[in-house]
Amino acid sequence: MEEKIKIIKQSTVEVIEEEELKEVLSKEDPIAYTGYEPSGKIHLGHAITIMKLKQLQTLGFKIKILLADYHAFLNGKGSVEEISEIAEYNKQCFKGLGLDETTEYILGSQFQTQAEYTNNVYQLATLTTLKRARRSMDMVSREDENPKVASTIYPLMQTVDMAALECDIALGGLEQRKIQMLAREGLPKLGFKPPVCIHTPLLHGLDGADKMSSSKGNFIAVDDSEEEIKEKIRQSYCPKGEVEGNPLIEIAEHFVYPFEDKLIIERPEKFGGNLELSQEELIETYGQGNLHPMDLKNAITNYMIEFLRPVREYMNSQS
RNA sequence: CCCGCCUUAGCUCAAUUUGGCAGAGCGUUGGACUGUAGAUCCAAAUGUUGCUGGUUCAAGUCCGGCAGGCGGGACCA
Protein backbone atom coordinates (compact mmCIF):
# COMPACT_ATOMS: atom_id res chain seq x y z
CA MET A 1 0.00 0.00 0.00
CA GLU A 2 2.65 2.50 1.01
CA GLU A 3 4.69 1.40 -1.97
CA LYS A 4 1.74 1.97 -4.32
CA ILE A 5 1.17 5.44 -2.95
CA LYS A 6 4.81 6.27 -3.46
CA ILE A 7 4.62 5.15 -7.08
CA ILE A 8 1.43 7.09 -7.71
CA LYS A 9 2.88 10.28 -6.24
CA GLN A 10 6.01 9.99 -8.34
CA SER A 11 6.49 13.02 -10.59
CA THR A 12 3.11 14.50 -9.74
CA VAL A 13 2.51 17.94 -8.31
CA GLU A 14 -0.14 16.93 -5.83
CA VAL A 15 -2.57 14.27 -4.71
CA ILE A 16 -5.80 15.57 -3.18
CA GLU A 17 -6.19 13.93 -0.72
CA GLU A 18 -3.71 11.23 0.13
CA GLU A 19 -5.91 9.80 2.90
CA GLU A 20 -8.69 9.28 0.37
CA LEU A 21 -6.24 7.60 -1.96
CA LYS A 22 -5.68 4.93 0.64
CA GLU A 23 -9.40 4.17 0.68
CA VAL A 24 -9.43 4.00 -3.11
CA LEU A 25 -6.52 1.59 -3.15
CA SER A 26 -8.38 -0.76 -0.87
CA LYS A 27 -11.28 -0.99 -3.32
CA GLU A 28 -11.64 -3.99 -5.57
CA ASP A 29 -11.78 -2.41 -9.02
CA PRO A 30 -10.83 1.22 -8.71
CA ILE A 31 -11.35 3.47 -11.73
CA ALA A 32 -9.08 6.27 -12.90
CA TYR A 33 -10.13 8.74 -15.55
CA THR A 34 -8.64 11.55 -17.58
CA GLY A 35 -10.51 13.71 -20.05
CA TYR A 36 -8.92 15.17 -23.15
CA GLU A 37 -10.32 17.71 -25.52
CA PRO A 38 -9.66 16.15 -28.91
CA SER A 39 -6.68 17.96 -30.32
CA GLY A 40 -5.03 18.17 -33.73
CA LYS A 41 -1.85 16.78 -32.23
CA ILE A 42 -1.19 14.70 -29.15
CA HIS A 43 2.03 16.01 -27.65
CA LEU A 44 4.44 15.34 -24.80
CA GLY A 45 2.24 17.23 -22.36
CA HIS A 46 -0.55 14.75 -23.01
CA ALA A 47 1.98 11.95 -22.85
CA ILE A 48 2.86 12.77 -19.25
CA THR A 49 -0.69 12.04 -18.15
CA ILE A 50 -0.92 8.96 -20.37
CA MET A 51 2.23 7.55 -18.78
CA LYS A 52 0.71 8.10 -15.34
CA LEU A 53 -2.42 6.30 -16.48
CA LYS A 54 -0.29 3.39 -17.72
CA GLN A 55 1.28 3.25 -14.31
CA LEU A 56 -2.12 3.21 -12.62
CA GLN A 57 -3.13 0.47 -15.03
CA THR A 58 -0.27 -1.73 -13.84
CA LEU A 59 -1.39 -1.04 -10.26
CA GLY A 60 -4.78 -2.55 -11.04
CA PHE A 61 -6.82 0.48 -12.01
CA LYS A 62 -9.46 0.35 -14.68
CA ILE A 63 -8.68 3.24 -17.02
CA LYS A 64 -11.36 5.35 -18.64
CA ILE A 65 -10.37 7.99 -21.14
CA LEU A 66 -12.94 10.61 -21.94
CA LEU A 67 -12.64 11.90 -25.47
CA ALA A 68 -14.30 15.17 -24.57
CA ASP A 69 -15.78 16.18 -27.90
CA TYR A 70 -18.54 18.28 -26.37
CA HIS A 71 -16.04 20.08 -24.19
CA ALA A 72 -13.92 20.93 -27.20
CA PHE A 73 -17.09 22.09 -28.95
CA LEU A 74 -18.03 24.32 -26.01
CA ASN A 75 -14.49 25.65 -26.08
CA GLY A 76 -14.91 26.80 -29.65
CA LYS A 77 -12.74 24.17 -31.31
CA GLY A 78 -15.13 23.33 -34.15
CA SER A 79 -18.27 21.38 -34.92
CA VAL A 80 -19.04 18.23 -32.97
CA GLU A 81 -18.63 16.21 -36.17
CA GLU A 82 -15.17 17.57 -36.94
CA ILE A 83 -14.10 17.06 -33.37
CA SER A 84 -15.24 13.46 -33.14
CA GLU A 85 -13.06 12.65 -36.16
CA ILE A 86 -10.07 14.11 -34.37
CA ALA A 87 -11.06 12.10 -31.31
CA GLU A 88 -10.66 8.88 -33.25
CA TYR A 89 -7.15 9.89 -34.28
CA ASN A 90 -6.31 10.83 -30.69
CA LYS A 91 -7.48 7.43 -29.53
CA GLN A 92 -4.96 5.79 -31.86
CA CYS A 93 -2.20 8.00 -30.45
CA PHE A 94 -3.12 6.97 -26.92
CA LYS A 95 -3.08 3.30 -27.89
CA GLY A 96 0.28 3.86 -29.55
CA LEU A 97 1.61 5.24 -26.30
CA GLY A 98 0.97 1.84 -24.77
CA LEU A 99 -2.31 1.80 -22.89
CA ASP A 100 -3.52 -1.79 -22.91
CA GLU A 101 -6.66 -3.44 -24.29
CA THR A 102 -8.67 -2.99 -21.09
CA THR A 103 -8.63 0.79 -21.52
CA GLU A 104 -12.07 2.20 -22.13
CA TYR A 105 -12.42 5.14 -24.52
CA ILE A 106 -15.63 7.08 -24.13
CA LEU A 107 -16.85 9.81 -26.42
CA GLY A 108 -18.44 12.57 -24.35
CA SER A 109 -21.35 13.02 -26.74
CA GLN A 110 -22.35 9.39 -26.11
CA PHE A 111 -23.68 10.18 -22.65
CA GLN A 112 -23.56 13.91 -22.04
CA THR A 113 -27.06 14.58 -23.36
CA GLN A 114 -28.82 11.95 -21.25
CA ALA A 115 -31.62 13.19 -19.01
CA GLU A 116 -30.03 12.32 -15.69
CA TYR A 117 -26.71 13.83 -16.74
CA THR A 118 -28.34 17.02 -17.95
CA ASN A 119 -30.39 17.31 -14.79
CA ASN A 120 -27.21 17.12 -12.73
CA VAL A 121 -25.62 19.87 -14.81
CA TYR A 122 -28.67 22.09 -14.24
CA GLN A 123 -28.62 21.34 -10.51
CA LEU A 124 -24.97 22.30 -10.37
CA ALA A 125 -25.68 25.44 -12.37
CA THR A 126 -27.95 26.67 -9.58
CA LEU A 127 -25.23 26.06 -7.01
CA THR A 128 -22.29 27.65 -8.80
CA THR A 129 -21.64 31.36 -9.14
CA LEU A 130 -20.79 32.82 -12.55
CA LYS A 131 -17.48 34.15 -11.31
CA ARG A 132 -16.46 30.83 -9.85
CA ALA A 133 -17.25 28.96 -13.05
CA ARG A 134 -15.40 31.52 -15.15
CA ARG A 135 -12.42 31.51 -12.84
CA SER A 136 -12.14 27.75 -12.97
CA MET A 137 -11.57 28.03 -16.71
CA ASP A 138 -8.62 30.41 -16.42
CA MET A 139 -6.03 27.93 -17.68
CA VAL A 140 -8.31 25.89 -19.90
CA SER A 141 -10.45 28.30 -21.85
CA ARG A 142 -9.51 29.17 -25.35
CA GLU A 143 -8.61 32.85 -25.55
CA ASP A 144 -11.72 34.71 -26.48
CA GLU A 145 -12.32 38.42 -26.43
CA ASN A 146 -16.00 37.69 -26.03
CA PRO A 147 -16.28 34.69 -23.73
CA LYS A 148 -19.33 32.54 -24.29
CA VAL A 149 -21.78 31.11 -21.83
CA ALA A 150 -20.44 27.75 -23.02
CA SER A 151 -17.27 28.35 -21.05
CA THR A 152 -19.26 28.27 -17.82
CA ILE A 153 -21.12 25.09 -18.75
CA TYR A 154 -17.81 23.37 -19.41
CA PRO A 155 -16.62 22.98 -15.80
CA LEU A 156 -20.10 21.92 -14.71
CA MET A 157 -20.08 19.13 -17.27
CA GLN A 158 -16.59 18.10 -16.28
CA THR A 159 -17.84 17.78 -12.72
CA VAL A 160 -20.80 15.64 -13.68
CA ASP A 161 -18.52 13.52 -15.91
CA MET A 162 -16.74 12.33 -12.81
CA ALA A 163 -19.99 11.09 -11.33
CA ALA A 164 -21.20 9.59 -14.61
CA LEU A 165 -17.95 7.71 -15.17
CA GLU A 166 -17.91 6.60 -11.53
CA CYS A 167 -14.23 7.37 -11.23
CA ASP A 168 -12.21 7.10 -8.04
CA ILE A 169 -9.32 9.12 -9.38
CA ALA A 170 -9.44 12.12 -11.69
CA LEU A 171 -6.04 12.67 -13.24
CA GLY A 172 -5.04 15.78 -15.13
CA GLY A 173 -2.40 18.36 -15.80
CA LEU A 174 -2.05 21.20 -13.34
CA GLU A 175 -4.12 23.46 -15.57
CA GLN A 176 -7.16 21.39 -14.54
CA ARG A 177 -6.72 22.25 -10.89
CA LYS A 178 -9.39 24.92 -10.52
CA ILE A 179 -12.00 22.83 -12.30
CA GLN A 180 -11.10 19.79 -10.24
CA MET A 181 -11.46 21.77 -7.01
CA LEU A 182 -14.81 23.07 -8.19
CA ALA A 183 -15.82 19.47 -8.83
CA ARG A 184 -14.72 18.29 -5.41
CA GLU A 185 -16.84 21.02 -3.89
CA GLY A 186 -19.84 20.48 -6.15
CA LEU A 187 -20.18 16.71 -6.30
CA PRO A 188 -21.16 16.25 -2.62
CA LYS A 189 -23.95 18.78 -3.15
CA LEU A 190 -25.32 16.47 -5.84
CA GLY A 191 -24.92 13.49 -3.58
CA PHE A 192 -21.75 12.05 -5.11
CA LYS A 193 -18.42 11.26 -3.58
CA PRO A 194 -15.69 13.32 -5.23
CA PRO A 195 -12.71 11.52 -6.73
CA VAL A 196 -9.14 11.83 -5.59
CA CYS A 197 -7.57 14.47 -7.81
CA ILE A 198 -4.05 13.97 -9.06
CA HIS A 199 -2.22 16.65 -10.96
CA THR A 200 0.83 16.24 -13.13
CA PRO A 201 3.23 19.08 -13.88
CA LEU A 202 2.99 21.15 -17.03
CA LEU A 203 5.81 20.96 -19.51
CA HIS A 204 7.28 24.22 -20.74
CA GLY A 205 6.96 24.84 -24.45
CA LEU A 206 9.97 24.20 -26.69
CA ASP A 207 10.04 27.97 -27.18
CA GLY A 208 10.37 28.49 -23.44
CA ALA A 209 6.70 29.47 -23.03
CA ASP A 210 4.98 28.55 -19.79
CA LYS A 211 3.04 25.70 -21.26
CA MET A 212 3.41 23.28 -24.13
CA SER A 213 0.20 23.66 -26.10
CA SER A 214 -1.08 22.49 -29.44
CA SER A 215 -2.28 25.97 -30.34
CA LYS A 216 1.19 27.49 -30.04
CA GLY A 217 3.11 24.93 -32.06
CA ASN A 218 5.76 24.66 -29.36
CA PHE A 219 5.44 20.94 -28.83
CA ILE A 220 6.76 17.59 -29.92
CA ALA A 221 3.86 15.46 -31.11
CA VAL A 222 3.91 11.81 -30.13
CA ASP A 223 3.69 10.81 -33.79
CA ASP A 224 6.23 13.30 -35.13
CA SER A 225 8.73 11.88 -37.60
CA GLU A 226 12.38 11.48 -36.69
CA GLU A 227 13.15 14.52 -38.82
CA GLU A 228 10.53 16.64 -37.08
CA ILE A 229 11.82 15.62 -33.67
CA LYS A 230 15.37 16.54 -34.66
CA GLU A 231 14.37 19.85 -36.13
CA LYS A 232 12.10 20.86 -33.26
CA ILE A 233 14.69 20.06 -30.62
CA ARG A 234 17.40 21.81 -32.60
CA GLN A 235 15.33 24.99 -32.59
CA SER A 236 14.37 24.75 -28.93
CA TYR A 237 14.97 27.32 -26.27
CA CYS A 238 17.82 26.06 -24.11
CA PRO A 239 19.87 28.65 -22.23
CA LYS A 240 23.25 27.47 -21.10
CA GLY A 241 23.52 26.69 -17.40
CA GLU A 242 19.82 27.24 -16.78
CA VAL A 243 17.79 24.37 -15.41
CA GLU A 244 14.59 26.15 -14.36
CA GLY A 245 12.03 26.31 -17.12
CA ASN A 246 14.35 24.55 -19.54
CA PRO A 247 12.14 22.31 -21.67
CA LEU A 248 14.96 19.88 -22.49
CA ILE A 249 15.84 19.31 -18.86
CA GLU A 250 12.14 18.71 -18.25
CA ILE A 251 11.95 16.22 -21.08
CA ALA A 252 14.89 14.36 -19.56
CA GLU A 253 13.14 14.30 -16.19
CA HIS A 254 9.86 13.01 -17.54
CA PHE A 255 10.81 10.84 -20.48
CA VAL A 256 14.30 9.53 -19.79
CA TYR A 257 14.87 9.09 -16.07
CA PRO A 258 11.67 7.20 -15.32
CA PHE A 259 13.15 4.45 -17.52
CA GLU A 260 16.92 4.88 -17.35
CA ASP A 261 19.27 5.48 -14.44
CA LYS A 262 21.74 7.31 -16.62
CA LEU A 263 21.41 9.67 -19.53
CA ILE A 264 24.08 8.87 -22.07
CA ILE A 265 25.59 11.92 -23.71
CA GLU A 266 27.77 11.50 -26.75
CA ARG A 267 30.18 14.37 -26.95
CA PRO A 268 33.12 15.01 -29.24
CA GLU A 269 36.54 14.47 -27.60
CA LYS A 270 37.50 18.10 -28.02
CA PHE A 271 34.57 19.09 -25.78
CA GLY A 272 35.36 16.51 -23.12
CA GLY A 273 34.15 13.18 -24.50
CA ASN A 274 31.12 11.07 -23.59
CA LEU A 275 29.21 11.30 -20.34
CA GLU A 276 26.74 9.21 -18.38
CA LEU A 277 24.69 11.30 -15.99
CA SER A 278 22.14 10.45 -13.34
CA GLN A 279 19.27 12.88 -12.88
CA GLU A 280 21.04 14.62 -10.02
CA GLU A 281 24.30 14.77 -11.95
CA LEU A 282 22.54 16.22 -15.00
CA ILE A 283 20.95 19.00 -12.96
CA GLU A 284 24.26 19.77 -11.29
CA THR A 285 26.47 19.56 -14.36
CA TYR A 286 24.11 21.50 -16.57
CA GLY A 287 23.37 24.07 -13.89
CA GLN A 288 27.09 24.76 -13.57
CA GLY A 289 27.35 25.28 -17.28
CA ASN A 290 29.58 22.25 -17.73
CA LEU A 291 27.31 20.63 -20.29
CA HIS A 292 26.78 22.45 -23.55
CA PRO A 293 23.16 22.82 -24.65
CA MET A 294 23.93 21.28 -28.02
CA ASP A 295 25.25 18.10 -26.44
CA LEU A 296 22.13 17.92 -24.31
CA LYS A 297 19.93 18.50 -27.33
CA ASN A 298 21.63 15.76 -29.32
CA ALA A 299 21.24 13.31 -26.47
CA ILE A 300 17.57 14.16 -25.89
CA THR A 301 16.91 13.90 -29.60
CA ASN A 302 18.19 10.33 -29.64
CA TYR A 303 16.12 9.36 -26.62
CA MET A 304 12.94 10.97 -27.94
CA ILE A 305 13.29 9.28 -31.31
CA GLU A 306 13.46 5.95 -29.51
CA PHE A 307 10.80 6.78 -26.93
CA LEU A 308 8.27 7.70 -29.60
CA ARG A 309 9.22 4.93 -32.04
CA PRO A 310 6.39 2.63 -30.87
CA VAL A 311 3.84 5.38 -31.49
CA ARG A 312 5.12 6.05 -35.01
CA GLU A 313 5.12 2.36 -35.82
CA TYR A 314 1.65 1.85 -34.38
CA MET A 315 0.26 4.83 -36.31
CA ASN A 316 1.87 3.63 -39.53
CA SER A 317 0.44 0.16 -39.05
CA GLN A 318 -3.03 1.67 -38.69
CA SER A 319 -2.99 3.68 -41.89
C1' C B 1 -37.87 46.21 -30.77
C1' C B 2 -35.18 51.28 -30.90
C1' C B 3 -30.57 54.37 -30.73
C1' G B 4 -25.20 54.96 -30.80
C1' C B 5 -20.33 53.08 -31.59
C1' C B 6 -16.86 49.30 -33.52
C1' U B 7 -14.92 45.62 -37.59
C1' U B 8 -7.81 47.24 -41.66
C1' A B 9 -1.57 41.76 -42.06
C1' G B 10 -1.31 35.95 -37.51
C1' C B 11 -1.79 39.91 -33.07
C1' U B 12 -2.11 45.32 -31.37
C1' C B 13 -3.17 49.39 -33.99
C1' A B 14 -1.98 53.74 -37.90
C1' A B 15 -3.61 55.81 -42.61
C1' U B 16 -4.11 64.70 -41.94
C1' U B 17 -9.99 69.69 -40.26
C1' U B 18 -11.33 68.10 -46.40
C1' G B 19 -11.67 60.71 -50.86
C1' G B 20 -5.58 60.44 -54.16
C1' C B 21 -0.21 54.10 -54.64
C1' A B 22 -2.81 50.54 -47.29
C1' G B 23 1.64 51.41 -43.18
C1' A B 24 4.21 50.54 -38.27
C1' G B 25 5.32 47.61 -33.95
C1' C B 26 5.10 42.68 -32.35
C1' G B 27 5.13 37.84 -34.39
C1' U B 28 6.73 34.72 -38.71
C1' U B 29 10.66 33.38 -42.36
C1' G B 30 15.87 33.85 -44.03
C1' G B 31 20.87 35.42 -43.10
C1' A B 32 25.10 37.41 -39.53
C1' C B 33 27.04 36.43 -34.60
C1' U B 34 27.53 32.67 -31.18
C1' G B 35 29.80 25.04 -30.66
C1' U B 36 22.29 25.17 -29.42
C1' A B 37 18.11 28.12 -28.88
C1' G B 38 17.43 33.07 -27.04
C1' A B 39 19.24 38.20 -27.01
C1' U B 40 21.40 41.58 -30.67
C1' C B 41 22.25 43.25 -35.84
C1' C B 42 20.75 42.93 -41.14
C1' A B 43 17.03 41.40 -44.78
C1' A B 44 12.39 39.55 -46.58
C1' A B 45 7.38 37.90 -46.90
C1' U B 46 2.33 38.75 -45.58
C1' G B 47 -3.93 42.07 -47.04
C1' U B 48 -11.02 40.06 -50.65
C1' U B 49 -9.61 47.00 -45.33
C1' G B 50 -16.39 42.04 -42.13
C1' C B 51 -19.97 41.08 -46.55
C1' U B 52 -22.87 43.59 -50.25
C1' G B 53 -24.90 47.44 -53.50
C1' G B 54 -24.17 52.55 -54.86
C1' U B 55 -21.83 57.81 -55.62
C1' U B 56 -17.01 59.23 -57.96
C1' C B 57 -11.91 59.80 -62.89
C1' A B 58 -10.60 57.65 -58.00
C1' A B 59 -13.54 54.75 -51.76
C1' G B 60 -10.36 51.84 -45.79
C1' U B 61 -12.41 56.95 -46.01
C1' C B 62 -18.94 59.23 -48.54
C1' C B 63 -24.27 56.92 -48.91
C1' G B 64 -27.72 52.36 -48.47
C1' G B 65 -28.47 47.22 -46.95
C1' C B 66 -26.73 42.86 -44.26
C1' A B 67 -23.70 40.10 -40.55
C1' G B 68 -20.95 39.92 -36.06
C1' G B 69 -19.48 42.52 -31.60
C1' C B 70 -19.84 46.35 -27.66
C1' G B 71 -22.76 49.93 -24.94
C1' G B 72 -27.35 52.11 -23.81
C1' G B 73 -32.69 52.52 -24.06
C1' A B 74 -37.37 50.41 -24.29
C1' C B 75 -40.52 46.34 -22.54
C1' C B 76 -41.48 44.71 -17.19
C1' A B 77 -48.99 48.87 -15.66
Side-chain angles (χ1 to χ4, degrees), chain A residues 192-205:
Chain A
F192 298 102
K193 187 171 163 52
V196 174
C197 293
I198 301 180
H199 300 135
T200 54
L202 299 180
L203 232 37
H204 281 82

Side-chain angles (χ1 to χ4, degrees), chain A residues 270-313:
Chain A
K270 65 170 174 173
F271 295 128
N274 296 352
L275 283 176
E276 290 189 20
L277 300 174
S278 68
Q279 184 162 348
E280 292 71 27
E281 289 166 341
L282 172 69
I283 302 297
E284 194 186 337
T285 309
Y286 193 84
Q288 291 169 344
N290 293 329
L291 176 61
H292 193 277
M294 195 179 228
D295 296 320
L296 175 64
K297 284 186 173 181
N298 288 335
I300 298 296
T301 299
N302 292 334
Y303 277 93
M304 287 318 295
I305 285 174
E306 288 315 308
F307 178 80
L308 296 175
R309 184 177 300 282
V311 186
R312 287 194 300 276
E313 288 176 354

Side-chain angles (χ1 to χ4, degrees), chain A residues 184-222:
Chain A
R184 279 181 59 90
E185 223 172 288
L187 283 169
K189 296 176 185 169
L190 299 177
F192 298 102
K193 187 171 163 52
V196 174
C197 293
I198 301 180
H199 300 135
T200 54
L202 299 180
L203 232 37
H204 281 82
L206 294 179
D207 57 358
D210 284 344
K211 188 183 165 209
M212 187 172 281
S213 86
S214 31
S215 56
K216 286 185 184 159
N218 59 4
F219 57 84
I220 294 177
V222 296

Side-chain angles (χ1 to χ4, degrees), chain A residues 130 133-134 137 148-157:
Chain A
L130 262 180
R134 287 280 301 278
M137 292 292 286
K148 306 300 186 290
V149 174
S151 70
T152 62
I153 299 174
Y154 186 119
L156 305 183
M157 285 178 60

